[in-house]
Amino acid sequence: MYIDVLVIHKEYRRSMITPQQIRGARAMLGLTQKQLADASGVSEMSVKNIERGSTPDPRVSTMLAMKKSLESAGVEFIPENGGGPGVRLRKVES
């Protein structure tokens, strides 16, 4: 059980996105906070609070739901790799 918790925590930390990445992804896609909330199955207030940074430790399920929705809509999240975390539109294969 302890190992499972460590694996889940490691996966979460690796897939963590920042409030700035969420705002940026939403802006690139032209989504409102309400649209992201609806697509993610979370409350609009959760999106607002997370983007503002006023939720210091948001639920893992909320963050993963928003990340999945934004990725499904066409963005890629770039992890911290020395240049800071980022976000970009996924390249469309032609």
Side-chain angles (χ1 to χ4, degrees):
M1 179 72 142
Y2 181 69
I3 292 173
D4 291 341
V5 172
L6 289 178
V7 169
I8 291 168
H9 180 71
K10 183 177 180 182
E11 177 64 24
Y12 170 68
R13 295 296 297 165
R14 188 167 55 83
S15 66
M16 176 66 116
I17 55 177
T18 67
Q20 294 83 3
Q21 285 176 297
I22 295 168
R23 281 194 309 272
R26 209 172 41 74
M28 287 179 180
L29 296 168
L31 296 176
T32 65
Q33 289 176 330
K34 172 122 177 63
Q35 289 170 321
L36 175 57
D38 291 345
S40 304
V42 303
S43 73
E44 184 178 359
M45 188 55 67
S46 291
V47 174
K48 289 177 187 274
N49 288 338
I50 289 168
E51 285 191 357
R52 264 196 309 252
S54 59
T55 304
D57 192 19
R59 294 178 126 184
V60 173
S61 59
T62 301
M63 295 299 285
L64 291 177
M66 289 194 309
K67 182 179 182 202
K68 183 177 179 181
S69 293
L70 291 165
E71 288 174 335
S72 293
V75 297
E76 289 182 348
F77 291 99
I78 304 163
E80 168 65 55
N81 59 3
V87 63
R88 65 180 170 215
L89 292 174
R90 187 173 44 244
K91 186 175 181 179
V92 178
E93 300 293 325
S94 49

